[in-house]
Amino acid sequence: MKKLFILAAAALLNTAAFAQTTWNSDKAHSRLQFTITHLAVSDVDGEFKDFSATVVATKPDFSDAKFTMTATASSVNTANDQRDGHLKSGDFFDVANFPTLTFVSTGISKGSAANRYKLNGNLTLHGVTRAVSFELWYRGTITNPMSKADDAGFQVTGTIKRSDFGFGSKYGSPMLSDEVTVKANGEFAKAN
């Protein structure tokens, strides 16, 4: 009977230690931004006002994390109404035909520094899906003093090429750079 109890306790501890945990982005404390170079002399910044992201992991250092993100293309905002309208048109995001852009991670590997990772995944933009890689910085987990729940922070940075997605193909370089810098800062609340 004692052996059975010890085996049951060990199994329970093992399950608890490797339980899958889901974390959801906190909209008030998360941003999805991009930067593109205009006429080879000026950077233009933008963001998506409506997006959500989820992280699922079993390890406390998030070294096995799986990330998903969905953004509403029509929520693009560059602080210029005329430019935003053009970006929503068929020349760029074509929001009528491609209302969302998504990212689904396919793998994560440790980087050269603590809490730094390489995040690989599939990005779907303008109806085209391509494999991409980003740098991921796990900024830590804390107990939120307001909600008393666990919050985790992440920053994702990297570069994609417009040409890989057939995005804005009427506007070549140097009018608009092919490379677009992506930066996402996210605060995630533990869901379970």
Side-chain angles (χ1 to χ4, degrees), residues 62-104:
F62 291 90
S63 60
D64 67 343
K66 294 179 182 176
F67 288 76
T68 59
M69 182 280 306
T70 301
T72 303
S74 63
S75 73
V76 67
N77 178 21
T78 63
N80 180 291
D81 291 341
Q82 184 177 357
R83 179 171 50 226
D84 293 347
H86 192 198
L87 286 172
K88 295 172 191 178
S89 76
D91 286 346
F92 291 99
F93 285 104
D94 193 4
V95 300
N97 292 306
F98 308 109
T100 60
L101 50 139
T102 60
F103 173 80
V104 178

Side-chain angles (χ1 to χ4, degrees), residues 80-148:
N80 180 291
D81 291 341
Q82 184 177 357
R83 179 171 50 226
D84 293 347
H86 192 198
L87 286 172
K88 295 172 191 178
S89 76
D91 286 346
F92 291 99
F93 285 104
D94 193 4
V95 300
N97 292 306
F98 308 109
T100 60
L101 50 139
T102 60
F103 173 80
V104 178
S105 69
T106 56
I108 187 171
S109 56
K110 288 202 177 232
S112 57
N115 297 330
R116 305 284 180 149
Y117 300 93
K118 180 177 180 182
L119 182 65
N120 299 313
N122 292 318
L123 176 65
T124 301
L125 169 65
H126 196 244
V128 177
T129 302
R130 293 281 183 263
V132 294
S133 291
F134 295 111
E135 297 300 316
L136 171 68
W137 175 23
Y138 163 50
R139 300 184 71 169
T141 300
I142 56 97
T143 299
N144 185 316
M146 301 295 285
S147 68
K148 307 300 183 206

Side-chain angles (χ1 to χ4, degrees), residues 86 89-92 126 162-163 166-176:
H86 192 198
S89 76
D91 286 346
F92 291 99
H126 196 244
R162 290 189 301 122
S163 57
F167 182 82
S169 53
K170 289 182 182 178
Y171 303 92
S173 186
M175 179 163 283
L176 294 174

